[in-house]
Amino acid sequence: MKGKLKFIPVLFFIMMLVVSAVGCSSSTSGGGEVSIGIVLPTKDEPRWVQDEQRFKDALADSDYTTEILFSQGSSAKEKENVETLLNKGIDVLIIAPHDGAAAGAAVEAAKKDGVTVISYDRLITETEAVDYYVTFDSIAVGAAQAQYLVDNASGSGIPLYLYAGASSDNNAFLFFEGAWKTLQPKIADGTFVIANSSEAEGLKDKAELTRDEMGKILGQVTTNWDPNEAKNKAQTHLTAVGADAKGDVAVLAPNDGTSRAIADVFAQDPEVSSYVISGQDAEKASIQYIIDGKQSMTVFKDVRTLVTDAIGMAVDVLDGNTPETTGSYNNGAVDVNAKQTDVIVVDQENVKQELIESGYYEESEFSGL
Ligand code: BGC
């Protein structure tokens, strides 16, 4: 790395030539040199298409050449994407892994090439080949989802349905950890009664869970981040329970895509009289669901900030500066220096202020606002 920094002025010069030659800004494709490679997990979820768009917006006037590739939920494709970018001479790799542990091999190949690796939103685990991590406060995301259920609970014995993200994603554990810390006292005092996980039921007296314990619960209630799987699980759960586990219920749904799928199932059950359900990502479809009263809340993670932080870090590295970080995350192998961003709870009350007045979305994209 040290040796490499010496060549940065030369590299800059070459890059400037490349930039002016191809008039390049955001997503370059085809051959040629690329300085920042970006790999995102899938195009099939609006969350990551949103990140792509925000990267393009942020890089529109940039002097750096970048390329964004999607891994389509496959670690093999992800590795291939990284190799493609390495062949194009990237100096910095920004990567949100499909599977945090499986991505180790890809980033180790990048490190071997002297590339600086920035884990984006999702932490790459069990490897030393990660230099930085830019992320939202994921424990706070789960805590905010759970707090919303607590704040909207009235009475006691409320059936609580738990759902979680994919266990291959470190974030799924962080979200669940934050949610459990907030929910557990309310399960212990009888406000909530767990309706769909015998593992969670067995652990209900433990304020803090180990990763293995969370893994057991996730094994029962994972959605794998897949709305179809979420829908099927919700249907199975509602079929399995009696009327006493219906009525007014609370649902911890890990993100917007799965929340809408689960909400649709609960809305169709005649024995469910009302439900409060969480979400995450402020996806447009879920904003409409919130306006329509079909989803209760979402956790807004302003992707513009994450993108700005990731690019800022990459540019610092390219300029030979040390990126600013605010803490660290242990990934099972090393402490990775991290920059973390706060999140905002959005429901019907503040949706207009947080998402329209802030310029994140256009009012015309929604009806009934
Ligand atoms: C992200 C969420 C996203 C989920 C599914 C998580 O790692 O932090 O924003 O909804 O993956 O893609």
Side-chain angles (χ1 to χ4, degrees), residues 27-359:
S27 214
T28 61
S29 54
E33 285 282 314
V34 174
S35 49
I36 306 172
I38 301 168
V39 178
L40 296 174
T42 178
K43 253 191 187 222
D44 294 340
E45 290 174 37
R47 157 73 215 265
W48 303 108
V49 178
Q50 202 185 122
D51 290 64
E52 178 193 34
Q53 190 53 50
R54 303 294 181 185
F55 268 115
K56 285 184 175 170
D57 294 347
L59 289 161
D61 299 320
S62 163
D63 287 341
Y64 296 98
T65 47
T66 63
E67 181 159 343
I68 305 175
L69 297 175
F70 282 90
S71 308
Q72 293 313 101
S74 151
S75 297
K77 176 80 184 153
E78 184 174 80
K79 179 116 197 300
E80 204 181 293
N81 284 341
V82 171
E83 275 154 14
T84 302
L85 294 167
L86 294 179
N87 287 333
K88 292 188 179 187
I90 55 165
D91 290 297
V92 180
L93 173 67
I94 297 174
I95 174 168
H98 160 60
D99 175 317
V107 294
E108 278 155 23
K111 281 302 308 171
K112 254 196 202 138
D113 255 25
V115 166
T116 298
V117 175
I118 302 175
S119 209
Y120 177 82
D121 192 285
R122 296 177 173 176
L123 185 59
I124 297 170
T125 54
E126 310 297 336
T127 176
E128 291 179 13
V130 189
D131 297 286
Y132 298 103
Y133 181 32
V134 282
T135 182
F136 292 101
D137 184 345
S138 295
I139 292 183
V141 170
Q145 294 172 329
Q147 192 60 48
Y148 199 88
L149 303 185
V150 171
D151 291 345
N152 287 280
S154 62
S156 63
I158 301 162
L160 172 66
Y161 290 81
L162 300 171
Y163 295 94
S167 359
S168 57
D169 177 2
N170 188 56
N171 284 347
F173 288 87
L174 300 177
F175 301 145
F176 197 82
E177 180 183 336
W180 184 262
K181 267 191 204 147
T182 309
L183 289 172
Q184 188 274 336
K186 292 291 174 185
I187 297 165
D189 76 6
T191 306
F192 293 118
V193 178
I194 298 166
N196 67 333
S197 167
S198 54
E199 294 286 357
E201 177 64 24
L203 291 160
K204 70 178 178 192
D205 295 323
K206 279 200 81 182
E208 282 189 29
L209 302 180
T210 64
R211 198 169 169 109
D212 276 358
E213 288 166 340
M214 285 192 278
K216 285 188 183 143
I217 302 175
L218 260 61
Q220 289 185 322
V221 303
T222 183
T223 60
N224 270 319
W225 293 132
D226 175 1
N228 269 323
E229 189 163 339
K231 178 184 165 193
N232 292 337
K233 279 219 161 120
Q235 274 166 346
T236 307
H237 293 153
L238 285 181
T239 307
V241 298
D244 58 330
K246 296 193 181 174
D248 298 325
V249 306
V251 187
L252 178 76
N255 75 346
D256 283 350
T258 57
S259 180
R260 294 193 303 278
I262 296 166
D264 288 346
V265 174
F266 277 76
Q268 273 162 23
D269 190 313
E271 289 181 316
V272 172
S273 30
S274 77
Y275 61 87
V276 179
I277 189 166
S278 60
Q280 156 175 211
D281 290 334
E283 285 182 10
K284 283 184 199 166
S286 278
I287 297 312
Q288 192 58 57
Y289 259 50
I290 289 175
I291 296 167
D292 296 342
K294 297 201 280 188
Q295 182 178 323
S296 316
M297 62 87 80
T298 188
V299 180
F300 171 38
K301 309 199 299 188
D302 191 333
V303 171
R304 294 171 301 189
T305 313
L306 207 61
V307 161
T308 307
D309 285 349
I311 295 173
M313 264 188 188
V315 168
D316 276 342
V317 171
L318 291 168
D319 287 353
N321 299 324
T322 305
E324 191 196 310
T325 50
T326 52
S328 69
Y329 277 75
N330 188 282
N331 77 343
V334 278
D335 286 330
V336 183
N337 285 331
K339 185 138 195 257
Q340 184 170 286
T341 293
D342 291 339
V343 297
I344 298 170
V345 170
V346 168
D347 67 1
Q348 267 184 356
E349 293 293 308
N350 65 347
V351 63
K352 207 164 172 178
Q353 180 196 328
E354 295 297 348
L355 293 172
I356 309 297
E357 284 159 20
S358 71

